[in-house]
């Protein structure tokens, strides 16, 4: 992998809430995000000379994570407490689309995409640990992450792929022939085929990433898939993952009780539909920590974070 380019923050924008875990941009260059107290926010004016404007669009009553804008002024929301939601952005009405699968409560939905046929695909990061104990799943390496599909008109998701290591971000290929799933705990991207001879099968797409991938975002079909890197690789953690399950479980019990502070190393990648890395941006000593999402808005990159109380606006990458 080529040496990364510098990720250059230009502006930090406080948004009146903690943990804008996912950021997505609309056609007007505004950014939508969900924060810790359950609010869905829209941020306008990130690139202007005056202060950004923050508008509350809805309140889920849970903890929103991954978002997907729909063309009918609605928003799909993966809520870590409530399940898969649909939010009417004009009225602020929140509707639960699915809150269980095969009788098991959906408690850690992570990211979501909508397909042209009206179905919705989304990830569940862990079946063992809730959001506030996410580090336990990464340490134990449970492999209980899932990729799910909700058919149009159905309330019962089907399991497309399981055994994933902390299934997280999700993006669709330009021709909708496959999905790309971020496996945070395995530092890799996985491809799940929707069409063709391999339909219904998963396979490695990009392996041995330089950090832990989180949310994925694609702004246009002809653009790259942006991959946020929530943290650098941790060699001792890679070694721990090779130990016996009992050892990992014991380490996880300690990890969920220990104080956590993210490192100052942040990063983002952009990959094409062939799995080639077209941009690699990183910063080792960043004041903005734990980048869990990245999108393009108004010619800039906008970063979101599970940790911070705002978003960061950065220089776009230099075209290759």
């Amino acid at each position: 992998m080529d040496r990364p380019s510098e990720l250059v923050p230009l502006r930090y924008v406080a948004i009146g809430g903690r943990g804008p875990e996912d950021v997505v941009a609309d056609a007007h260059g505004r950014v939508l995000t969900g924060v810790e107290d359950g609010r869905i926010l829209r941020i306008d004016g990130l690139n202007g000379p005056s202060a950004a404007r923050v508008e509350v669009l809805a309140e889920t009553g849970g903890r929103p994570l991954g978002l997907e804008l729909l063309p009918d002024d609605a928003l799909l929301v993966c809520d870590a407490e409530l399940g898969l939601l649909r939010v009417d952005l004009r009225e602020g009405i929140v509707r639960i689309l699915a809150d269980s699968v095969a009788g098991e409560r959906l408690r850690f939905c992570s990211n979501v995409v909508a397909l042209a046929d009206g179905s919705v695909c989304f990830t569940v990061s862990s079946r063992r640990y809730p959001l506030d104990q996410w580090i336990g799943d990464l340490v134990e390496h449970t492999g209980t992450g899932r990729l799910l599909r909700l058919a149009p008109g159905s309330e019962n998701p089907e399991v497309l792929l399981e055994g994933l290591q902390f299934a997280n971000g999700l993006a669709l290929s330009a021709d909708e022939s496959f999905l790309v799933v971020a496996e945070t705990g395995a530092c890799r991207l996985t491809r799940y085929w929707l069409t063709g001879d391999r339909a219904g099968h998963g396979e490695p797409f990009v392996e041995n990433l330089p950090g832990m991938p989180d949310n994925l975002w694609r702004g246009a079909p002809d653009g790259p898939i942006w991959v946020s890197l929530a943290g650098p690789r941790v060699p001792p953690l890679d070694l721990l993952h090779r130990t016996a399950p009992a050892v990992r479980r014991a380490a996880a019990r300690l990890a969920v009780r220990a104080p956590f502070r993210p490192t100052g190393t942040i990063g983002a990648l952009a990959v094409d539909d062939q799995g080639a890395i077209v941009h690699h941006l990183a910063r080792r000593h960043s004041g903005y920590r734990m980048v869990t999402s990245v999108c393009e808005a108004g010619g800039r990159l906008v970063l979101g974070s599970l940790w911070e109380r705002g978003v960061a606006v950065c220089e776009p990458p230099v075209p290759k």
Side-chain angles (χ1 to χ4, degrees):
M1 187 177 296
D2 294 339
R3 184 180 180 85
S5 301
E6 184 78 0
L7 185 57
V8 182
L10 296 177
R11 186 180 181 192
Y12 175 85
V13 180
I15 59 173
R18 184 168 188 246
E21 196 267 349
D22 193 20
V23 289
V24 297
D26 67 14
H28 305 286
R30 300 172 300 188
V31 171
L32 282 78
T33 190
V35 290
E36 188 177 61
D37 61 13
R39 290 177 297 153
I40 303 295
L41 308 178
R42 182 163 58 200
I43 312 162
D44 196 7
L46 283 174
N47 295 318
S50 58
R53 299 175 296 280
V54 180
E55 178 185 4
V56 179
L57 300 178
E59 298 188 21
T60 70
R63 201 331 175 179
L65 298 177
L67 311 175
E68 168 88 333
L69 277 163
L70 298 176
D72 60 348
D73 211 15
L75 183 73
L76 293 172
V77 179
C78 278
D79 192 292
E81 299 173 6
L82 302 177
L84 179 65
L85 314 179
R86 177 187 170 96
V87 177
D88 183 321
L89 295 178
R90 289 168 295 204
E91 303 293 334
I93 298 172
V94 178
R95 181 164 65 94
I96 296 177
L97 298 180
D99 58 8
S100 64
V101 54
E104 180 184 338
R105 180 186 167 203
L106 287 171
R107 65 174 184 174
F108 200 160
C109 293
S110 193
N111 207 271
V112 57
V113 296
L115 276 59
D117 66 0
S119 61
V120 173
C121 293
F122 62 104
T123 55
V124 170
S125 292
S126 175
R127 297 169 67 190
R128 189 168 299 168
Y129 291 89
L131 174 63
D132 62 356
Q133 295 181 354
W134 59 267
I135 197 168
D137 195 277
L138 292 184
V139 171
E140 187 178 342
H141 211 49
T142 70
T144 59
R146 283 175 156 182
L147 172 64
L148 306 176
R149 174 182 177 269
L150 185 67
S154 176
E155 297 178 357
N156 302 303
E158 62 175 314
V159 179
L160 299 181
L161 202 59
E162 55 188 343
L164 300 172
Q165 293 293 348
F166 205 94
N168 208 326
L170 193 60
L172 191 59
S173 68
D175 61 2
E176 292 205 7
S177 64
F178 62 88
L179 290 163
V180 178
V181 185
E183 289 190 76
T184 306
C187 294
R188 71 178 170 225
L189 305 180
T190 293
R191 171 162 50 193
Y192 177 83
W193 287 102
L194 296 169
T195 63
D197 296 339
R198 297 282 294 163
H201 291 86
E203 64 187 17
F205 185 56
V206 185
E207 296 187 278
N208 197 30
L209 294 174
M212 297 181 180
D214 205 293
N215 285 308
L216 309 182
W217 183 82
R218 180 170 223 152
D222 59 349
I225 297 171
W226 278 100
V227 183
S228 60
L229 298 177
R233 292 191 76 125
V234 181
L237 185 61
D238 292 340
L239 291 173
L240 179 64
H241 289 167
R242 301 171 194 160
T243 64
V247 175
R248 301 198 306 271
R249 283 194 296 270
R253 286 194 294 269
L254 294 174
V256 297
R257 294 196 296 266
F260 172 79
R261 180 173 174 78
T263 73
T265 298
I266 62 173
L269 301 172
V271 302
D272 63 21
D273 279 358
Q274 288 69 51
I277 295 175
V278 295
H279 297 295
H280 179 196
L281 307 175
R283 188 177 185 89
R284 292 190 59 190
H285 303 289
S286 172
Y288 190 84
R289 296 169 181 263
M290 199 177 180
V291 172
T292 53
S293 55
V294 57
C295 71
E296 294 180 272
R300 306 289 192 192
L301 292 183
V302 179
L303 310 181
S305 168
L306 184 67
W307 181 264
E308 298 288 351
R309 294 184 176 274
V311 299
V313 182
C314 301
E315 282 279 13
V318 177
K320 293 187 177 180

